[in-house]
C-alpha cells in the first residue's frame, strides 16, 4: 500500500508506474517507425491496479483517495474504438482486466456502470462466424502485438467471468 500511496497523484487519484500519475509503460516504436503512439494513455491500468491493492489492503470505500481513483477509472470505461485517423485506440485488455477486478470488488453503482460498458465492448467485438477465430478477440490493443490472439481472448474471457460473480459485500 505504501508504493500505491507514493505513486498516486492528488487530487485526481491517478496512479503512476514510477511517479505520481505518470502515463505508465508504453511499447517502444519499431525500428524506423516515426508515427504518433496510437493508444490512449488516458486509460490507466495502474490506477485500476492501485484501487484493487487499496481494497485488498482494507482501505475503506469512503476514502477520499479511493473515491478519486474510482472516478478517474470511470472517466474511461471499456469502449471498443480502434485507432483511426486522430482517434486513439481505447481497447486495452490489461486496463479492462484491472478495472474489472477493482470495480467488481468496489461494487455498487460504479461496478454496474463499468460492467455494462464492459459487456457491450466485449460481446459486440467478439469474432463470430465459421472462421477459426470465431469466439476470440482480435489482438488490437496496446499489448496485442506481443500477446497475440491468445492473450486478447484470455484477458477478455477473464473479464467476462466477473459478470457472473456476485460483487463482494463489505461493510466498510
Amino acid at each position: 500500500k505504501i508504493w500505491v500511496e507514493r505513486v498516486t497523484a492528488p487530487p485526481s487519484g491517478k496512479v503512476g508506474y514510477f511517479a505520481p500519475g505518470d502515463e505508465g509503460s508504453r511499447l517502444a516504436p519499431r525500428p524506423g517507425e516515426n508515427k504518433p503512439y496510437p493508444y490512449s494513455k488516458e486509460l490507466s491500468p495502474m490506477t485500476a491496479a492501485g484501487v484493487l491493492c487499496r481494497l485488498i489492503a482494507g482501505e475503506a470505500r469512503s476514502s477520499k483517495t479511493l473515491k478519486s481513483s474510482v472516478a478517474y477509472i470511470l472517466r474511461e470505461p471499456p469502449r471498443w474504438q480502434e485507432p483511426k485517423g486522430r482517434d486513439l485506440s481505447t481497447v486495452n485488455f490489461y486496463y479492462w482486466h484491472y478495472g474489472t477486478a477493482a470495480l467488481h470488488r468496489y461494487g455498487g453503482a460504479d461496478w454496474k456502470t463499468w460492467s455494462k460498458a464492459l459487456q457491450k465492448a466485449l460481446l459486440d467485438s467478439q469474432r463470430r462466424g465459421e472462421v477459426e477465430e470465431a469466439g476470440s478477440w482480435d489482438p488490437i490493443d496496446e499489448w496485442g502485438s506481443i500477446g497475440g490472439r491468445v492473450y486478447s481472448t484470455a484477458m477478455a474471457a477473464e473479464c467476462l467471468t466477473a459478470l457472473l460473480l456476485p460483487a463482494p459485500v463489505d461493510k466498510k
Side-chain angles (χ1 to χ4, degrees):
K1 186 174 170 188
I2 293 170
W3 170 81
V4 174
E5 289 173 359
R6 185 174 60 81
V7 293
T8 300
S12 71
K14 183 177 182 185
V15 176
Y17 199 75
F18 292 114
D22 70 25
E23 72 173 18
S25 59
R26 107 181 2 231
L27 291 171
R30 296 174 195 250
E33 186 176 67
N34 188 21
K35 61 182 182 180
Y37 201 65
Y39 305 102
S40 173
K41 294 313 271 181
E42 291 301 310
L43 310 174
S44 180
M46 296 311 298
T47 302
V51 167
L52 183 61
C53 288
R54 288 176 182 277
L55 291 169
I56 290 170
E59 190 165 329
R61 283 164 176 73
S62 59
S63 153
K64 183 179 177 183
T65 303
L66 191 57
K67 285 182 173 186
S68 294
S69 293
V70 167
Y72 189 90
I73 295 167
L74 288 173
R75 287 176 33 197
E76 294 288 345
R79 183 169 51 97
W80 195 276
Q81 175 183 299
E82 298 180 36
K84 290 187 179 146
R86 291 186 175 189
D87 293 333
L88 300 177
S89 174
T90 61
V91 179
N92 188 318
F93 294 113
Y94 188 69
Y95 171 63
W96 294 354
H97 162 76
Y98 278 106
T100 298
L103 290 169
H104 179 262
R105 190 172 192 96
Y106 190 76
D110 296 319
W111 164 242
K112 288 179 183 172
T113 298
W114 179 272
S115 64
K116 184 177 178 182
L118 177 73
Q119 187 172 359
K120 178 171 179 32
L122 290 177
L123 296 182
D124 288 354
S125 60
Q126 188 177 25
R127 284 290 193 131
R128 291 171 176 71
E130 298 295 325
V131 296
E132 64 185 47
E133 292 96 3
S136 69
W137 283 267
D138 292 336
I140 65 162
D141 78 325
E142 189 168 10
W143 305 104
S145 64
I146 294 169
R149 186 170 299 281
V150 171
Y151 160 80
S152 298
T153 300
M155 293 294 273
E158 189 276 333
C159 287
L160 287 172
T161 62
L163 300 176
L164 303 173
L165 303 172
V169 177
D170 193 326
K171 304 280 187 218
K172 292 183 183 180

